[in-house]
């Protein structure tokens, strides 16, 4: 029996259609799912501050958005010939001017997108965090600063629940109507250790469900449970045996689509998929009349879709 058949059916939650405006925050699994949204042409913004793993890190960037945080030189540090910010991924690192500009652009983008969102999707990766000893601050990314400059902590269930409650409060300040959808990343953080990874996921799951127990307009999708329960075989992992492979990601996406995307949008997704495959087709005779008619047919299908959904691009 599939896991999702044993879960309660959606009870009035606003499902996702092609008018949805989504924001995703969280771990690398959020990026994998965002690639699916992008492929099918949904309006979607992912991780303006880059990949974030812990509830504390996600809560902090949402606070930046709510408080109109302005980044300055004081928020940066220099290491290994680049400027970095402990609150952002290394994708935003570089020269001082570039980093400050990128961080302030990320604040504006996140604030504007959350304020206009219909759905916020948050993927929690780990309850393990690193505290910078010099500042006593939790960091989102260590940026390869020596380990001796940090202490490692496992956030308690209560800490996780508090962070998630704060996330929801920040989102409600910007967009009271947005539906918040949480999930736990199925990626195994084995660098923390096998036992430590399980403790981390347990704290995330328990803290998240505590926070959701009396929350409104917020839901949970079982990405982690699907990986552990239905795909419990190493053939569903990448070569590092830590990350879900493409087959697993496609399976989880299909279960997500079944649960959260409207039936009408599923048919549009099929049309988008057919068009993308048609555009990727490599003909033997590109100058033939047959291929010309094929391309004209594709262009007509694209125009018809874009008349209904102007944000769709191919």
């Amino acid at each position: 029996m599939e896991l999702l058949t044993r879960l309660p059916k959606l009870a009035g939650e606003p499902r996702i259609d092609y008018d949805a405006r989504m924001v995703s925050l969280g771990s690398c699994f959020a990026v994998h799912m965002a690639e699916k949204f992008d492929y099918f042409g949904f309006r979607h913004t992912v991780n303006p501050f880059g990949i974030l793993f812990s509830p504390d890190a996600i809560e902090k960037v949402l606070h930046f958005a709510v408080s109109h945080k302005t980044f300055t030189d004081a928020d940066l540090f220099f290491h290994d010939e680049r400027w970095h910010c402990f609150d952002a991924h290394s994708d935003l690192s570089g020269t001082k001017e570039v980093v400050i500009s990128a961080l302030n652009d990320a604040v504006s983008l996140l604030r504007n997108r959350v304020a206009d969102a219909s759905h916020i999707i948050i993927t929690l990766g780990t309850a393990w965090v690193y505290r910078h000893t010099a500042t006593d601050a939790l960091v989102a990314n260590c940026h390869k600063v020596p380990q001796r400059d940090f202490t490692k902590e496992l956030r308690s269930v209560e800490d996780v629940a508090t962070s998630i409650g704060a996330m929801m409060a920040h989102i409600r300040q910007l967009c009271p109507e947005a539906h918040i959808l949480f999930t736990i990343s199925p990626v195994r953080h084995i660098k923390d250790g096998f036992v430590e990874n399980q403790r981390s996921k347990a704290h995330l799951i328990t803290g998240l469900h505590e926070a959701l127990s009396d929350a409104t307009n917020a839901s949970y999708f079982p990405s982690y449970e699907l990986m552990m329960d239905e795909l419990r075989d190493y053939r569903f992992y990448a070569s590092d045996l830590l990350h879900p492979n493409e087959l697993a990601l496609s399976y989880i996406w299909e279960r997500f689509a079944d649960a959260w995307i409207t039936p009408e949008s599923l048919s549009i997704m099929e049309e988008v998929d057919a068009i993308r495959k048609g555009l990727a087709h490599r003909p033997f005779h590109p100058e033939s009349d047959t291929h010309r008619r094929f391309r004209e047919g594709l262009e007509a299908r694209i125009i018809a879709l874009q008349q209904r959904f102007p944000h769709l691009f191919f």
Side-chain angles (χ1 to χ4, degrees), residues 70-297:
T70 299
F71 283 89
T72 66
D73 293 6
D75 297 299
L76 309 187
F77 69 95
F78 190 73
H79 175 70
D80 199 18
E81 301 184 13
R82 301 175 79 200
W83 289 90
H84 310 271
C85 175
F86 279 131
D87 297 317
H89 192 268
S90 56
D91 285 348
L92 279 70
S93 298
T95 65
K96 182 185 291 186
E97 294 75 16
V98 166
V99 176
I100 290 176
S101 177
L103 290 168
N104 286 319
D105 286 348
V107 171
S108 296
L109 179 62
L110 182 58
R111 180 181 178 85
N112 292 337
R113 291 292 190 269
V114 170
D116 187 50
S118 61
H119 296 77
I120 311 290
I121 303 172
I122 297 177
T123 304
L124 306 177
T126 182
W128 287 102
V129 295
Y130 289 86
R131 187 178 297 276
H132 189 226
T133 53
T135 60
D136 195 39
L138 297 179
V139 303
N141 195 302
C142 295
H143 298 291
K144 298 184 179 179
V145 173
Q147 190 73 38
R148 63 177 178 271
D149 291 348
F150 304 92
T151 57
K152 184 177 177 181
E153 302 175 13
L154 178 65
R155 300 298 274 170
S156 69
V157 170
E158 292 74 18
D159 292 331
V160 171
T162 299
S163 284
I164 291 166
M167 288 180 214
M168 291 191 284
H170 293 325
I171 292 168
R172 298 289 177 238
Q173 282 186 257
L174 294 175
C175 188
E177 300 82 16
H179 192 90
I180 309 171
L181 177 57
F182 290 93
T183 191
I184 306 291
S185 170
V187 177
R188 303 160 72 210
H189 291 259
I190 299 302
K191 69 175 184 178
D192 297 319
F194 285 93
V195 174
E196 289 79 2
N197 174 68
Q198 293 298 88
R199 293 177 65 196
S200 167
K201 298 295 188 185
H203 283 213
L204 290 179
I205 292 168
T206 307
L208 174 54
H209 285 285
E210 282 193 8
L212 290 179
S213 62
D214 58 355
T216 58
N217 214 17
S219 304
Y220 179 70
F221 179 76
S223 299
Y224 176 79
E225 291 82 353
L226 285 167
M227 192 74 195
M228 295 298 106
D229 186 54
E230 293 190 19
L231 305 178
R232 49 177 181 249
D233 191 297
Y234 276 114
R235 73 179 184 273
F236 295 109
Y237 285 88
S239 58
D240 62 5
L241 302 182
L242 304 177
H243 292 76
N245 61 18
E246 187 58 38
L247 180 61
L249 291 171
S250 294
Y251 182 86
I252 295 171
W253 168 257
E254 289 172 6
R255 300 286 73 75
F256 178 87
D258 289 343
W260 272 96
I261 295 178
T262 63
E264 297 79 10
S265 296
L266 292 175
S267 63
I268 298 168
M269 288 167 58
E270 292 177 359
E271 175 71 354
V272 171
D273 182 47
I275 291 172
R276 291 204 185 279
K277 288 176 178 176
L279 292 172
H281 175 66
R282 296 293 180 263
F284 287 114
H285 304 292
E287 306 304 323
S288 67
D289 288 341
T290 300
H291 183 65
R292 177 182 55 79
R293 289 192 296 270
F294 173 75
R295 293 291 299 190
E296 289 173 351

